[in-house]
C-alpha cells in the first residue's frame, strides 16, 4: 500500500509539471476550498496528487473523477466505491460510501439494516450527496472530489464523530455524459490567460451544450419517469438506503450569488409535510453560517420552487427525506466577470464544498430529529392512506396490456405496492381484460397520490417546471379510485410480468395480421419495411376468421399477404412475439366486415427515411426526445442534420423532415424555400409545437392557416391602454405561458393520424404558447381540443377559452406532399407512451392520407 501511494505521489508530481501552462494561467489560487487549518492524513492522496492539477485549474473529465474515487477507496479504510450501472455513452455510474468502517462488508450490513427496517427507523443516519445532474453546472463534480478527500483524510474529531454516526452516500456525477461534453468544450477553449468576458467562446457552448445527457434529456426531470439508466440505477439504490437528507447541487446564471432552500413558499408541493419545511429551514442556518464565514452572499425563498415531484430536491420530500437544492452562480468556464466582480471556477467549487460540509454538520447535529421525522413520515403516510375516502386506485389496461405494463413497471420501480387484479376490471362503463390495484394504505401513499391523482387546485399560478405529471394521462390508461379493493394477488408485485405474444398457428394463413393498437406494432412495421416485406394497412375496421377465432381489428391493422414475395416472417417477428407482439393468421381473404384482404383500399406502405432538423435555436430537449424515440423504441437510426447544413443536403433522398420545438425566428428564407419545394415534390414535413408554427409560415399557395403572434390581443389600442402593476408581470406571464398541463383532445379515429385508437378522447401533454388556426380544409383537422380540455394541471381561464375547440393536430396537402402540424408534445420526456402511436402514425401513415376536398 505504501509503495502504491509513493507511486501516486510521483505520478502526481509529474502531471503537475506537465500542466504548468494551466497553473500559470493567472487564476487566483488563494481561496481555501477546504476548512482553514485542517490537517489531512498524509497517506490519503489529494485530487492534485492523483490528477496533477489543483481544483479549478481546469475542468475534470469523468474518467479522471472515477480514477480518483477508486484511488481514494484503495487508500482509505473509510471509503468504498460501487459501480451501479453505465450511461448511454458507456461511462460508469458510481456511488461512494463513507463511514468509519468503509469496508464493503460494513457498508452492506448498514444497507441491509436500512433496506429491511428503514421505514421503522432502523439503521444509521444516511445523507445522500448528489452533484452535477446538469453537465455544464460544473462546480459540483470537483466539489464532490474535494469533499470526498476531506471525509477520507480529515483527522478532525467532528469528522470522526460524523462517520461513526452516519453513512454518507455520495453520487459525485449524476450526468457523466454531459459533464464530459462540457469539460471538453471549456478545456479546449481556455487559453493560458482565460478571458473573463461572458461573450468569450469558452463561456458560449455550441449546440446542444453540456446540460443534458447523451440523448439531450434533462436528467433533473427524470427522477419520476426513469427513462434513463442514470436515474434507474440511482433509484434502485435510493430505496435500499432511504436517505434522511438528499442534496441536489446545481449552478445558475452568472449574475446571481448562491441559493439554497427553502424556496418560494407558495410554490412548494402541497403533499410535502410541514415538518419537512421546518427541518429544511433549520439546515439552512448551517449553510448561511458557512457562506457568511467565507464572505459569500446568498439568498433563499426566491426564484426556485419545490413543486414538480420528478426533480432531485422534491422527490425526497415525498419519500421520507429532506431534499435540498443548492444553486451556485456559474463561472461557465474558468473565470467570468459578474455584477459581483470576477468569479473563478475555484470560487464556485469552494462554495459547493462549504454547503456540502454544512449539510453534513447540520445533519449530524439534527440526527435525532431527522430520524424521528422519517419514522413519522411513513407512519403518517399510512394513516393518511387509511383515512381517505377510498381504498386505492384501480388501473385498466386500456386495450393495450403492453403499454399498461409500462406504467406498472414504473410504479414498482418507485417502490409502490401494486397488485394484479384477479380477472377483468370495470372502470366507468368500460370493461378491461387486465387490471391492477394500488392500495392507499401503504407507506408510499403520498408518492402514489402524486402520481395517480389529477392536479386541479393550485396555490400559485407560477411554476418553475410542469404543473402536472399525472401518469394515467401520460400512458392513456383508465384509472379510478374504489371504495373497496377488488380481488387481487395477495403479495405485492416485485416486477412487471413478461408479456407473451404469438405468431399464426396451424395451416398456412392467407395473410398475417398485426393489430396496430399494441405498443410493439410500429417497431414491427419498421422492421418489416426495412426487410422489404409487402405490408398493407387497413383504412377500415376488419372482422374476419383467424387462427384464434373471430378477430376484430381497428383501423391501422397491418396485413401481410403470404401469397406475395415476403421475407421470412417467422424469423423477423418471432423475437418480437417473445416480447409480447400479437400476430394473427387470416383463414381466408373474405372477411365478415370491412374490405376483403385483396381490396385496393388496403394501401401498401413504403419504408421511411426521416431526417430531424437540429442546431442553434432549436430545443435540444425536443430534438433529443425524437432521437431517443427512434433509437430506443423503434431501434432504428435517425438522420440528424443541423439546419444551416440543410442547404447542402438533397432532400429527395428522404421522406420526412421533422421540425422539433424551438426558436425559428432567425431561420433564413432559403430554408423555407427548400422545405416548401420538398413538400410540393411529395415529401412530408412534421412540425412539433413551435416547429408547427414555423411550418405554418412556409409560403404555399394557398397558404397554410396560422395564428399570428399578436392575435392574443384584441386590438393594439386596447393593449396600449391596459395598465398593470409592475410586480404583476410574473403572474401575468404565467397565465399566458403553459408550463405543462394534460389536456383532452377530440381525435378523429377515422383519420390515418388517429389509427389504432378505439376512443375519440385522448390525453395530450400541452406546453408552450403554440396555437394552430383552423385549416381551410375541413377534413384536415385530425384532432381538436374538447370544449372543457383541462384534465390535470394549470391552464389560465384565458388560455382555456382560447384552446377550447381549437385545432390540435392538422394534416394539410400541398402539392404532392403533406404538412403535419402537432401543437402538443407527443414524446414528452420519453415517457408519454399514450401519444406515441399518433407520432408513429405521422411517420408511417402519412403516405395514405389522401387529399379530401369538396368541389367548389
Amino acid at each position: 500500500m505504501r509503495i502504491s501511494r509513493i507511486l501516486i505521489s510521483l505520478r502526481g508530481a509529474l502531471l503537475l509539471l506537465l500542466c504548468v501552462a494551466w497553473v500559470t494561467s493567472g487564476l487566483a489560487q488563494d481561496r481555501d476550498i477546504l476548512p482553514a487549518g485542517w490537517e489531512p492524513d498524509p497517506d490519503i492522496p489529494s485530487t492534485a496528487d492523483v490528477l496533477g492539477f489543483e481544483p479549478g485549474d481546469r475542468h475534470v473529465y469523468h474518467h479522471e473523477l472515477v480514477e480518483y474515487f477508486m484511488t481514494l477507496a484503495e487508500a482509505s479504510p473509510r471509503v468504498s466505491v460501487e459501480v451501479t450501472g453505465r450511461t448511454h455513452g458507456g461511462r460508469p455510474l458510481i456511488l461512494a460510501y463513507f463511514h468509519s468502517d468503509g469496508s464493503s462488508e460494513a457498508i452492506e450490513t448498514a444497507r441491509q439494516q436500512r433496506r429491511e427496517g428503514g421505514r421503522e427507523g432502523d439503521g444509521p443516519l444516511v445523507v445522500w450527496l448528489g452533484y452535477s445532474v446538469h453537465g455544464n453546472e460544473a462546480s459540483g463534480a470537483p466539489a464532490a472530489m474535494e469533499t470526498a478527500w476531506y471525509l477520507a483524510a480529515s483527522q478532525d474529531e467532528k469528522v470522526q464523530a460524523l462517520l461513526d454516526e452516519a453513512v454518507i452516500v455520495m453520487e459525485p456525477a449524476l450526468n457523466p455524459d454531459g459533464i464530459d461534453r462540457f469539460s471538453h468544450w471549456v478545456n479546449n477553449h481556455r487559453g493560458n490567460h482565460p478571458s473573463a468576458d461572458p461573450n468569450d467562446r469558452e463561456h458560449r457552448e455550441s449546440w446542444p451544450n453540456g446540460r443534458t445527457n447523451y440523448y439531450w434529456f434533462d436528467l433533473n426531470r427524470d427522477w419520476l419517469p426513469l427513462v434513463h439508466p442514470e436515474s434507474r440505477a440511482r433509484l434502485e439504490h435510493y430505496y435500499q438506503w432511504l436517505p434522511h437528507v438528499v442534496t441536489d447541487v446545481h449552478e445558475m446564471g452568472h449574475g446571481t450569488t448562491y441559493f439554497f432552500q427553502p424556496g418560494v413558499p407558495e410554490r412548494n408541493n402541497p403533499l410535502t409535510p410541514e415538518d419537512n419545511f421546518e427541518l429544511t429551514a433549520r439546515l439552512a442556518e448551517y449553510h448561511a453560517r458557512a457562506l457568511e464565514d467565507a464572505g459569500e452572499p446568498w439568498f433563499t425563498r426566491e426564484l426556485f420552487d419545490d413543486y414538480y415531484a420528478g426533480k432531485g430536491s422534491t422527490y425526497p420530500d415525498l419519500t421520507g427525506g429532506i431534499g435540498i437544492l443548492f444553486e451556485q452562480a456559474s463561472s461557465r468556464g474558468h473565470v467570468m466577470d459578474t455584477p459581483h466582480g470576477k468569479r473563478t471556477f475555484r470560487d464556485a467549487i469552494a462554495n459547493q464544498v462549504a454547503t456540502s460540509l454544512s449539510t453534513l454538520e447540520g445533519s449530524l447535529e439534527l440526527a435525532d430529529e431527522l430520524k424521528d421525522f422519517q419514522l413519522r413520515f411513513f407512519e403518517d403516510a399510512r394513516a393518511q392512506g387509511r383515512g381517505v375516502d377510498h381504498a386505492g386506485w384501480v388501473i385498466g389496461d386500456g386495450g393495450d396490456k403492453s403499454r399498461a405494463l409500462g406504467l406498472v413497471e414504473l410504479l414498482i420501480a418507485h417502490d409502490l405496492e401494486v397488485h394484479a387484479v384477479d380477472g377483468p376490471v370495470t372502470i366507468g362503463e368500460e370493461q378491461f381484460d387486465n387490471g391492477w390495484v394500488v392500495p392507499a394504505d401503504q407507506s408510499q401513499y403520498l408518492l402514489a397520490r402524486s402520481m395517480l391523482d389529477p392536479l386541479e387546485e393550485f396555490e400559485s399560478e407560477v411554476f418553475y417546471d410542469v404543473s402536472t405529471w399525472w401518469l394515467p394521462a401520460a400512458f392513456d390508461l383508465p384509472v379510478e379510485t374504489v371504495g373497496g379493493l377488488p380481488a387481487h394477488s395477495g403479495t405485492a408485485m416485485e416486477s412487471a410480468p413478461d408479456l407473451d405474444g404469438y405468431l399464426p398457428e396451424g395451416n398456412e394463413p392467407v395473410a398475417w395480421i398485426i393489430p396496430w393498437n399494441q405498443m410493439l406494432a410500429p417497431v414491427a412495421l419498421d422492421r418489416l419495411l426495412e426487410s422489404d416485406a409487402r405490408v398493407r394497412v387497413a383504412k377500415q375496421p376488419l372482422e374476419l376468421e383467424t387462427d384464434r377465432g373471430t378477430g376484430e381489428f381497428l383501423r391501422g391493422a397491418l396485413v401481410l399477404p403470404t401469397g406475395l414475395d415476403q421475407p421470412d416472417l417467422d424469423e423477423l417477428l418471432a423475437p418480437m412475439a417473445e416480447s409480447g407482439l400479437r400476430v394473427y393468421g387470416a383463414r381466408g381473404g373474405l372477411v365478415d366486415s370491412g374490405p376483403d384482404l385483396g381490396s385496393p383500399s388496403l394501401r401498401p406502405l413504403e419504408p421511411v427515411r426521416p431526417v430531424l432538423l437540429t442546431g442553434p435555436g432549436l430545443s435540444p430537449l425536443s430534438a433529443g426526445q425524437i432521437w431517443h424515440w427512434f433509437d430506443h423504441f423503434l431501434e432504428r437510426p435517425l438522420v440528424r442534420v443541423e439546419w444551416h447544413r440543410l442547404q447542402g443536403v438533397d432532400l429527395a433522398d428522404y421522406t420526412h423532415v421533422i421540425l422539433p420545438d424551438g426558436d425559428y425566428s432567425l431561420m433564413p428564407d432559403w430554408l423555407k424555400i427548400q422545405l416548401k419545394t420538398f413538400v410540393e415534390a411529395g415529401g412530408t414535413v412534421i412540425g412539433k409545437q413551435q416547429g408547427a408554427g414555423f411550418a405554418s409560415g412556409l409560403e404555399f399557395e394557398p397558404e397554410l392557416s396560422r395564428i399570428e403572434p399578436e392575435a392574443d390581443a384584441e386590438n393594439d389600442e386596447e393593449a396600449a391602454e391596459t395598465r398593470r402593476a409592475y410586480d404583476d408581470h410574473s403572474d401575468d406571464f404565467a397565465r399566458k405561458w403553459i408550463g405543462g398541463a394534460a389536456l383532452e383532445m377530440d381525435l378523429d379515429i377515422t383519420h390515418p393520424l388517429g389509427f389504432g385508437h378505439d376512443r375519440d378522447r385522448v390525453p395530450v401533454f400541452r406546453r408552450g404558447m403554440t396555437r394552430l388556426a383552423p385549416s381551410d380544409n375541413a377534413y384536415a383537422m385530425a384532432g381538436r381540443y374538447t370544449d372543457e380540455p383541462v384534465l390535470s394541471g394549470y391552464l389560465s381561464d384565458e388560455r382555456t377559452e382560447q384552446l377550447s375547440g381549437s385545432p390540435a393536430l392538422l394534416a394539410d396537402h400541398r402539392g404532392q406532399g403533406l404538412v403535419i402540424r402537432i401543437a402538443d408534445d407527443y414524446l414528452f420526456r420519453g415517457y408519454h407512451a399514450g401519444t406515441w402511436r399518433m407520432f408513429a402514425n405521422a411517420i408511417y401513415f402519412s403516405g395514405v392520407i389522401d387529399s379530401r376536398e369538396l368541389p367548389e
Side-chain angles (χ1 to χ4, degrees), residues 706-765:
R706 55 178 172 167
I707 292 180
E708 299 296 337
E710 65 270 16
D712 289 341
E714 292 187 13
N715 55 66
D716 292 340
E717 182 178 348
E718 179 182 339
E721 292 177 355
T722 300
R723 180 174 182 266
R724 297 287 297 162
Y726 181 83
D727 203 38
D728 287 342
H729 173 265
S730 61
D731 288 342
D732 290 344
F733 181 85
R735 295 185 189 101
K736 296 279 188 182
W737 175 259
I738 302 172
L743 305 186
E744 185 176 58
M745 183 172 72
D746 178 358
L747 179 65
D748 179 359
I749 61 176
T750 72
H751 194 289
L753 293 180
F755 282 1
H757 288 267
D758 60 353
R759 293 176 290 110
D760 59 9
R761 295 293 188 268
V762 178
V764 293
F765 194 80

Side-chain angles (χ1 to χ4, degrees), residues 13-92:
L14 178 60
L15 287 172
L16 281 169
L17 291 172
L18 293 174
C19 293
V20 67
W22 293 94
V23 176
T24 59
S25 64
L27 298 182
Q29 294 292 329
D30 56 352
R31 172 80 187 270
D32 286 331
I33 289 181
L34 291 167
W38 83 291
E39 296 182 1
D41 182 340
D43 288 338
I44 307 301
S46 69
T47 54
D49 291 335
V50 176
L51 302 183
F53 58 90
E54 292 292 335
D57 279 348
R58 72 166 172 84
H59 286 247
V60 67
Y61 291 102
H62 185 256
H63 71 273
E64 295 173 322
L65 179 146
V66 172
E67 178 186 6
Y68 179 68
F69 274 89
M70 294 300 184
T71 302
L72 202 61
E74 180 183 349
S76 172
R78 298 175 175 177
V79 186
S80 63
V81 175
E82 180 179 8
V83 176
T84 61
R86 290 194 175 267
T87 68
H88 289 298
R91 294 174 174 85

Side-chain angles (χ1 to χ4, degrees), residues 29 48 106 217 267 269 291 299 325 356 374 406 435 440 466 481 497 510 524 537 586 613 654 703 745 753 802:
Q29 294 292 329
F217 279 66
R267 284 159 47 191
N269 191 294
L291 292 174
F299 67 97
L325 172 67
S356 292
Q374 188 176 83
V466 297
T481 56
V510 300
V537 58
L613 215 62
Y654 303 96
E703 288 189 357
M745 183 172 72
L753 293 180
Q802 288 172 345

Side-chain angles (χ1 to χ4, degrees), residues 562-798:
T562 56
L564 301 180
D565 182 19
Q566 299 281 17
D568 189 332
L569 299 180
D570 276 289
E571 181 179 348
L572 279 172
L573 297 180
M576 300 188 67
E578 293 177 359
S579 298
L581 182 72
R582 295 173 287 114
V583 185
Y584 296 80
R587 294 191 179 279
L590 290 174
V591 303
D592 299 331
S593 176
D596 292 326
L597 299 188
S599 168
S601 67
L602 272 67
R603 300 283 291 278
L605 299 173
E606 300 293 334
V608 297
R609 299 182 305 279
V611 59
L612 172 66
L613 215 62
T614 63
L618 304 184
S619 166
L621 301 174
S622 179
Q625 291 167 184
I626 298 167
W627 175 28
H628 182 267
W629 187 78
F630 274 89
D631 205 31
H632 277 257
F633 175 60
L634 292 181
E635 299 181 339
R636 60 156 293 156
L638 175 65
V639 176
R640 295 150 293 149
V641 178
E642 296 210 354
W643 61 262
H644 54 82
R645 290 187 52 248
L646 201 66
Q647 199 169 22
V649 174
D650 184 359
L651 290 183
D653 293 335
Y654 303 96
T655 57
H656 299 72
V657 175
I658 305 172
L659 310 179
D661 193 20
D663 181 4
Y664 287 82
S665 60
L666 298 179
M667 296 297 170
D669 289 340
W670 63 257
L671 181 60
K672 296 180 180 180
I673 294 171
Q674 187 178 12
L675 292 176
K676 172 178 176 288
T677 303
F678 168 71
V679 171
E680 291 176 336
T684 297
V685 164
I686 301 174
K688 180 173 173 280
Q689 297 164 278
Q690 292 184 77
F694 180 68
S696 298
L698 302 180
E699 298 175 357
F700 294 105
E701 290 293 341
E703 288 189 357
L704 293 171
S705 58
R706 55 178 172 167
I707 292 180
E708 299 296 337
E710 65 270 16
D712 289 341
E714 292 187 13
N715 55 66
D716 292 340
E717 182 178 348
E718 179 182 339
E721 292 177 355
T722 300
R723 180 174 182 266
R724 297 287 297 162
Y726 181 83
D727 203 38
D728 287 342
H729 173 265
S730 61
D731 288 342
D732 290 344
F733 181 85
R735 295 185 189 101
K736 296 279 188 182
W737 175 259
I738 302 172
L743 305 186
E744 185 176 58
M745 183 172 72
D746 178 358
L747 179 65
D748 179 359
I749 61 176
T750 72
H751 194 289
L753 293 180
F755 282 1
H757 288 267
D758 60 353
R759 293 176 290 110
D760 59 9
R761 295 293 188 268
V762 178
V764 293
F765 194 80
R766 173 78 188 186
R767 203 167 196 214
M769 298 174 66
T770 301
R771 290 171 57 206
L772 304 178
S775 172
D776 56 4
N777 185 336
Y779 304 97
M781 186 162 61
R784 68 176 186 88
Y785 299 110
T786 58
D787 292 338
E788 296 181 358
V790 181
L791 295 174
S792 180
Y794 173 76
L795 199 66
S796 68
D797 292 342
E798 177 187 357

